[in-house]
Amino acid sequence: MKKNLALSGARKDKGLTQEELAALLGYSKATVSNWENGYSSPSLSDAFKISRILNKDINKLFSGLYVQESYTDSVKESV
């Protein structure tokens, strides 16, 4: 399990709480916390949404981590 410090740092730099980011994405605070702490990963489409919301390059946020193509597909390594 690898923490996503880039995601948590970008969220904080944008001035958003986990709860606020979760609300923008339609998820719970726990979901964002799980992404940041490495317990789960966002779907690929959610990773792109997060990138847009935080105004950060998706590679900076998720490089070397895993994202899912969908909720039912297996986890894929990001590029």
Side-chain angles (χ1 to χ4, degrees):
M1 165 173 44
K2 183 177 178 182
K3 287 191 176 197
N4 189 335
L5 300 177
L7 176 57
S8 60
R11 175 186 53 76
K12 291 172 187 175
D13 288 347
K14 189 74 171 179
L16 295 172
T17 65
Q18 288 180 341
E19 190 170 6
E20 290 168 333
L21 179 57
L24 290 170
L25 296 165
Y27 290 107
S28 69
K29 175 185 180 262
T31 299
V32 173
S33 176
N34 285 338
W35 293 339
E36 290 182 1
N37 288 302
Y39 296 117
S40 64
S41 300
S43 68
L44 186 55
S45 64
D46 284 334
F48 278 106
K49 289 177 192 174
I50 292 165
S51 174
R52 284 191 300 271
I53 290 168
L54 299 180
N55 198 30
K56 295 286 182 183
D57 184 277
I58 194 168
N59 290 317
K60 301 261 186 208
L61 293 174
F62 300 103
S63 183
L65 300 175
Y66 295 92
V67 293
Q68 295 175 216
E69 286 187 32
S70 73
Y71 293 109
T72 57
D73 289 339
S74 62
V75 175
K76 305 283 183 174
E77 188 170 349
S78 67
V79 279

